[in-house]
Amino acid sequence: METFLGIMIPFLGTTLGAACVFFMKKSLGDLVQRSLAGFAAGVMVAASIWSLLIPAIEQSEGMGKLSFLPAFIGFWVGVLFLLLLDHVIPHLHVGSNQAEGPKSRLGRTTMMVLAVTLHNIPEGMAVGVMYAGFLAGNAQITAASALVLSLGIAIQNFPEGAIISMPLRAEGESKGKAFLGGVLSGVVEPIGAVLTILAAQLVIPALPYFLSFAAGAMLYVVVEELIPEMSQGKHSNIGTIFFAVGFSVMMTLDVALG
């Protein structure tokens, strides 16, 4: 039950954020979106370092000077995996008029949901691999550290849910469909978490690779999507400030509670 609740917490954050469409009349302004993107980026960077990469290196300390190797390999596989998904799945980032990936007849709103879904895949994997380590009895991963990562991702998923549902509403969708779009974008997180838990349970020695894989995938999303979104246009410094806020919040949660 503890693990089930842990992998559902990030999805709850997305759902609550998507529900903003029922209470907010106007679409999110550029300044607000830039702030939320910066906050999400900060949380993901801190989580990648303290929750994923550092534990991956610590778990490989028996390799001596090569203890970095599993983290290095897993990190790059994660980056290349997201790069592949970016090229094979048609998607449209919020605020952009240029679709990415292969040409498709999919509707604009569908591709917007797919863009956020791509973003959420590594987050689900990160939560899954943390709980896989906890279930395997790994000394470096406790129930508290796994829960901290879930809470950190849920915090940044709240604005993400709003970032997808509000623009869908602005595109002309009904409030119900806009809410559903936001919710569906987050469904991939618990699914990805469960699949990662199952895979990691089968290959326990590969846990450092799974941890760093999730870190590489998350940092790909940050650099490819969130940093450009938070730093473009006027008041780009606001995005940077909120990046620092998100980073410090997640760092504090991980070190103090994990």
Side-chain angles (χ1 to χ4, degrees):
M1 180 58 71
E2 185 177 32
T3 300
F4 174 77
L5 292 176
I7 64 177
M8 291 303 295
I9 287 174
F11 177 62
L12 178 62
T14 303
T15 302
L16 292 175
C20 289
V21 74
F22 295 114
F23 309 105
M24 299 174 64
K25 294 183 179 180
K26 297 182 180 180
S27 60
L28 297 174
D30 290 341
L31 185 60
V32 174
Q33 289 194 33
R34 197 167 295 122
S35 302
L36 297 180
F39 182 84
V43 169
M44 292 175 72
V45 170
S48 296
I49 296 171
W50 275 277
S51 297
L52 300 170
L53 287 174
I54 291 178
I57 294 172
E58 289 176 344
Q59 289 175 36
S60 305
E61 59 186 9
M63 298 177 66
K65 292 183 178 180
L66 294 178
S67 61
F68 71 92
L69 194 58
F72 179 87
I73 293 172
F75 177 87
W76 270 103
V77 174
V79 169
L80 295 175
F81 176 69
L82 259 291
L83 178 63
L84 175 64
L85 291 184
D86 229 2
H87 280 81
V88 301
I89 297 178
H91 58 283
L92 178 68
H93 294 299
V94 175
S96 174
N97 293 316
Q98 183 72 38
E100 298 182 15
K103 290 185 178 181
S104 170
R105 293 184 179 181
L106 293 174
R108 180 180 173 86
T109 54
T110 300
M111 288 198 290
M112 288 172 67
V113 172
L114 284 174
V116 180
T117 301
L118 276 173
H119 184 151
N120 287 334
I121 289 174
E123 295 171 10
M125 295 177 65
V127 172
V129 76
M130 285 291 285
Y131 275 99
F134 165 64
L135 292 173
N138 192 288
Q140 283 88 15
I141 299 177
T142 64
S145 62
L147 180 60
V148 163
L149 179 62
S150 290
L151 289 173
I153 290 179
I155 290 171
Q156 66 101 10
N157 275 357
F158 180 85
E160 280 186 1
I163 283 176
I164 188 64
S165 65
M166 296 301 292
L168 288 177
R169 175 60 176 159
E171 290 281 328
E173 297 290 343
S174 66
K175 288 185 177 181
K177 286 187 176 180
F179 170 71
L180 183 61
V183 171
L184 288 177
S185 71
V187 167
V188 70
E189 290 198 16
I191 294 175
V194 170
L195 292 177
T196 304
I197 288 174
L198 294 175
Q201 289 290 309
L202 293 174
V203 194
I204 295 299
L207 194 59
Y209 295 91
F210 280 98
L211 286 165
S212 52
F213 178 96
M218 286 176 67
L219 289 177
Y220 177 91
V221 170
V222 170
V223 176
E224 195 272 341
E225 178 185 342
L226 294 179
I227 288 180
E229 185 177 333
M230 79 181 201
S231 60
Q232 63 185 359
K234 296 174 64 177
H235 306 298
S236 59
N237 56 329
I238 296 298
T240 305
I241 293 298
F242 273 86
F243 173 91
V245 171
F247 185 92
S248 58
V249 166
M250 187 62 205
M251 178 182 66
T252 302
L253 284 174
D254 205 305
V255 177
L257 303 179

